[in-house]
Amino acid sequence: MTHDLSVVADIGGTNTRVALCRDGKVLEDTIRRYRNAENAGIAPVLRNYLSERDVTPIGVCVDMAGPVKDGVGTLTNLDWTVDSAELRAETGARQVAVINDLQAQGYAVAHLGHDSLHPVLTGRPAPQGAVRLVINVGTGLNAVPVYTQGTRTLVPPAEAGHVSLLARTVDELRLIDWLADQHPQPGLEDVLSGRGLERLYAWVCHDEGDGAPLSAAEIMAGFEAGDARAQRAARLFVQFLGRYAGDLALITLPFGGIYLVGGVIRHLGPHLLPLGFAEAFAAKGRFNAYMTQFPVDLVTDDYAALRGCAAHLAELMHG
């Protein structure tokens, strides 16, 4: 039995990925996926995984899509509760952490190589210890700053996807009025997420008096095929994203870089610049030139959350 290993888990909406790690590094050949529908919670998943490998971990870190408070989290789209005290009793680990999935991405970004990043905007070289910003566009929308001081990293929790949706054009005013008829007090997540892209497309159909609603996957297929309505919806999506990222950049001053994560943004990533991301990001009046300092990268590493869990656990255990 090995006595220097920890276990990390990334709970998604459909699958949970589990891996062993040592000294903050994920052992990629140990990564395994489990279907959530086939398990009653994270504890039996870890029990199965660890028993197969005859490992008693010295640490456990689990990230999950949902709010976490005092070491206990409830998943947003799954009837699981993740409790650090229960995980400690289940695994025998001396160090246990439960964090939000976006926090895991935040802990990861300092440890991602160039092969895990696709540049969007170059910006300026990052100074040592500079603030980073992670923006997640997937099933939902959220963003967190990442602060470093010496060897310690702080990624505070946030619910930054639910800020108010504001309009700058006559078209956007019509969009917000249409959204408000269905969803009172619409927030940015109502347009910047998987279902947000679907709503934008549905509004374009309504606005043009033609077409039927489509799924996000169908909209992306239509976009790739040159469908005008899908392209209009995608352009609106990217312009809202650029504006949102620019606003957050002025709030957090992330000279260490802005990192875009999430399934939806991965699909749109190659099209961000043609669809107007840079212009929307920098449209800050007399601060337009100031905005060119911030590098923006698309994270392409599918295991970034696991790497973030491993890095966070190593800091806790050696701090």
Side-chain angles (χ1 to χ4, degrees):
M1 183 180 293
T2 305
H3 297 283
D4 64 344
L5 294 172
S6 295
V7 64
V8 290
D10 171 32
I11 307 176
T14 304
N15 299 298
T16 292
R17 287 176 294 188
V18 185
L20 296 176
C21 62
R22 178 185 285 118
D23 296 327
K25 305 293 184 183
V26 172
L27 307 179
E28 292 192 20
D29 60 347
T30 69
I31 297 173
R32 181 175 170 187
R33 286 177 171 82
Y34 293 83
R35 287 188 57 79
N36 294 339
E38 298 172 359
N39 294 278
I42 188 60
V45 169
L46 294 181
R47 185 186 312 127
N48 183 329
Y49 179 87
L50 293 169
S51 65
E52 286 181 353
R53 287 155 181 77
D54 192 24
V55 169
T56 298
I58 58 174
V60 176
C61 184
V62 175
D63 80 78
M64 47 173 283
V68 178
K69 183 178 181 182
D70 299 328
V72 180
T74 302
L75 278 94
T76 303
N77 299 312
L78 187 66
D79 188 24
W80 288 10
T81 296
V82 183
D83 188 317
S84 58
E86 292 180 4
L87 293 179
R88 183 175 287 105
E90 178 68 38
T91 64
R94 68 172 186 262
Q95 181 71 61
V96 177
V98 178
I99 59 177
N100 176 266
D101 56 344
L102 187 54
Q103 289 179 289
Q105 295 281 352
Y107 286 117
V109 292
H111 305 277
L112 299 178
H114 292 297
D115 57 343
S116 298
L117 302 170
H118 176 78
V120 179
L121 298 176
T122 304
R124 293 184 178 179
Q128 185 71 25
V131 177
R132 298 177 173 91
L133 174 67
V134 181
I135 300 175
N136 177 78
V137 189
T139 303
L141 174 70
N142 202 358
V144 290
V146 181
Y147 303 102
T148 57
Q149 185 171 20
T151 60
R152 298 308 299 266
T153 306
L154 173 64
V155 186
E159 290 295 341
H162 301 288
V163 295
S164 298
L165 176 61
L166 303 177
R168 285 192 180 178
T169 68
V170 173
D171 279 0
E172 291 174 5
L173 283 170
R174 292 200 308 274
L175 165 64
I176 291 177
D177 286 343
W178 179 82
L179 282 170
D181 286 340
Q182 308 169 56
H183 312 282
Q185 300 177 330
L188 262 175
E189 188 177 270
D190 290 319
V191 295
L192 288 180
S193 59
R195 63 182 182 273
L197 181 59
E198 294 170 359
R199 286 174 181 148
L200 287 173
Y201 183 84
W203 175 76
V204 168
C205 292
H206 167 81
D207 195 51
E208 297 182 1
D210 184 32
L214 298 177
S215 69
E218 290 170 329
I219 295 165
M220 285 307 304
F223 172 84
E224 298 284 357
D227 177 79
R229 287 182 297 273
Q231 292 187 341
R232 184 182 174 193
R235 182 171 294 277
L236 277 168
F237 187 100
V238 169
Q239 289 174 346
F240 276 118
L241 175 62
R243 196 182 305 164
Y244 178 61
D247 286 346
L248 291 175
L250 288 176
I251 292 168
T252 59
L253 299 182
F255 294 109
I258 298 170
Y259 298 83
L260 305 176
V261 305
V264 175
I265 200 59
R266 275 207 204 178
H267 289 294
L268 278 170
H271 310 288
L272 290 178
L273 294 184
L275 290 173
F277 176 86
E279 292 80 3
F281 177 77
K284 301 300 178 189
R286 62 190 179 91
F287 269 71
N288 286 6
Y290 187 86
M291 301 301 293
T292 63
Q293 300 178 85
F294 304 112
V296 179
D297 287 281
L298 177 70
V299 175
T300 58
D301 188 341
D302 197 38
Y303 302 133
L306 288 175
R307 299 190 203 285
C309 285
H312 178 52
L313 197 55
E315 285 191 12
L316 292 175
M317 297 180 73
H318 298 112

